[in-house]
Amino acid sequence: MLKNSNGLVSIFILTQNQFLKVGLESVIEEAFLKCDRGNISYNVYEISNLNDLTIKMLRAGGKSIVFFDSDGFFFHDRLEMVNKINDTNLQFESVFLCDGAEYNKMSHFYNLLFKTVLNKSIPLRHTKMDIEGVIIKMVGTRDLESRQDILPEICTPFLRLTTRKENVLKNIFKGKNTREIASNLYISEKTVLAHRSRIYSKFSVHSLSELYFFIRNSTHIKNL
């Protein structure tokens, strides 16, 4: 395993919903159990005031993952806080959770601001793969990264993916968003979305979280 250079990941959860907080903590704990706990540890901080976030992140140092719950915070405050964090040059991943209506209407815009945008209207267990992907990307464990790389190659024979769709799928499993995939593959974001849509159709799913859930639980790759 590749040791985290700082050995510690700080998790910040900004929510006033205690049920969501407990659910996130459970998913986070399960994800870290899959990592090398001898080299990697984490702390979870509950933040109720946006103004406290930047200070606590600076004090914690190292790598951070910030979970933003859309409820309870004004839109302008969210944008201002993201800008403040970006100005610190800290190494962090941001996860924004919003309800179904807001997700359908604003997810493309939110993807420009946050690294990952999730629909919290669907059961949390269905989004756990997205959250695990964020943690794996931040922790950088070699074993888990290699499993992500070979996953599309195992899926390809029975899904008959084209080379382009296979490359898009590989980038998805590396935690890349639409803009990053487009840049990596030198194609437009519109083309990435089209490939993603066709991949969903082949798996008979409707979202990224469903795709993760299906592949992770597929009998074809149950030994991964």
Side-chain angles (χ1 to χ4, degrees), residues 3 17 53 57 62 96 124 149 156 223:
K3 183 177 180 179
N17 184 332
L53 177 61
M57 287 181 68
F96 187 75
L124 187 60
D149 287 340
T156 298
N223 294 323

Side-chain angles (χ1 to χ4, degrees), residues 148-149 151-153 156 161-200 203 208 211-212 215:
Q148 291 175 347
D149 287 340
L151 184 56
E153 297 175 6
T156 298
L161 295 177
T162 64
T163 300
R164 179 65 75 188
K165 290 184 180 63
E166 180 181 347
N167 288 332
V168 169
L169 187 56
K170 283 183 178 181
N171 275 269
I172 289 174
F173 275 90
K174 289 178 180 178
K176 304 294 184 183
N177 60 34
T178 299
R179 181 173 54 183
E180 292 170 331
I181 295 173
S183 177
N184 288 347
L185 301 181
Y186 302 101
I187 57 179
S188 68
E189 293 184 28
K190 183 176 180 181
T191 301
V192 173
L193 292 173
H195 284 308
R196 187 190 294 258
S197 176
R198 294 186 185 103
I199 290 170
Y200 288 173
F203 280 97
L208 181 57
L211 174 62
Y212 279 129
I215 293 180

Side-chain angles (χ1 to χ4, degrees), residues 131-143:
I131 296 173
E132 287 180 2
V134 172
I135 292 172
I136 289 168
K137 180 181 178 182
M138 173 60 73
V139 169
T141 53
R142 183 176 300 155
D143 180 56

Side-chain angles (χ1 to χ4, degrees), residues 33-214:
L33 285 173
K34 299 176 182 178
C35 303
D36 185 354
R37 293 301 301 276
N39 291 331
I40 301 163
S41 60
Y42 72 98
N43 290 326
V44 177
Y45 303 90
E46 181 180 5
I47 306 293
S48 57
N49 187 335
L50 285 173
N51 294 324
D52 295 337
L53 177 61
T54 307
I55 295 175
K56 291 191 175 183
M57 287 181 68
L58 288 169
R59 286 177 178 172
K63 299 179 178 180
S64 301
I65 303 175
V66 186
F67 290 88
F68 294 87
D69 179 14
S70 63
D71 292 338
F73 301 105
F74 291 112
F75 182 81
H76 175 267
D77 293 334
R78 302 175 206 159
L79 301 186
E80 185 178 3
M81 183 50 53
V82 172
N83 288 330
K84 284 184 178 179
I85 299 174
N86 287 331
D87 289 341
T88 64
N89 292 320
L90 290 170
Q91 185 175 2
F92 73 98
E93 293 288 328
S94 56
V95 181
F96 187 75
L97 301 104
C98 53
D99 62 29
E102 186 176 9
Y103 179 86
N104 293 333
K105 184 178 181 180
M106 301 290 291
S107 61
H108 290 297
F109 173 70
Y110 287 149
N111 274 314
L112 300 175
L113 303 173
F114 303 93
K115 301 290 182 63
T116 303
V117 180
L118 300 179
N119 181 357
K120 66 178 182 179
S121 296
I122 64 177
L124 187 60
R125 66 180 183 275
H126 291 170
T127 67
K128 65 180 294 187
M129 293 301 301
D130 300 88
I131 296 173
E132 287 180 2
V134 172
I135 292 172
I136 289 168
K137 180 181 178 182
M138 173 60 73
V139 169
T141 53
R142 183 176 300 155
D143 180 56
L144 290 175
E145 284 181 348
S146 64
R147 286 169 57 179
Q148 291 175 347
D149 287 340
I150 66 173
L151 184 56
E153 297 175 6
I154 294 174
C155 296
T156 298
F158 68 90
L159 290 175
R160 297 185 178 86
L161 295 177
T162 64
T163 300
R164 179 65 75 188
K165 290 184 180 63
E166 180 181 347
N167 288 332
V168 169
L169 187 56
K170 283 183 178 181
N171 275 269
I172 289 174
F173 275 90
K174 289 178 180 178
K176 304 294 184 183
N177 60 34
T178 299
R179 181 173 54 183
E180 292 170 331
I181 295 173
S183 177
N184 288 347
L185 301 181
Y186 302 101
I187 57 179
S188 68
E189 293 184 28
K190 183 176 180 181
T191 301
V192 173
L193 292 173
H195 284 308
R196 187 190 294 258
S197 176
R198 294 186 185 103
I199 290 170
Y200 288 173
S201 296
K202 287 182 178 292
F203 280 97
S204 297
V205 299
H206 302 90
S207 67
L208 181 57
S209 58
E210 289 183 15
L211 174 62
Y212 279 129
F213 185 78
F214 174 85

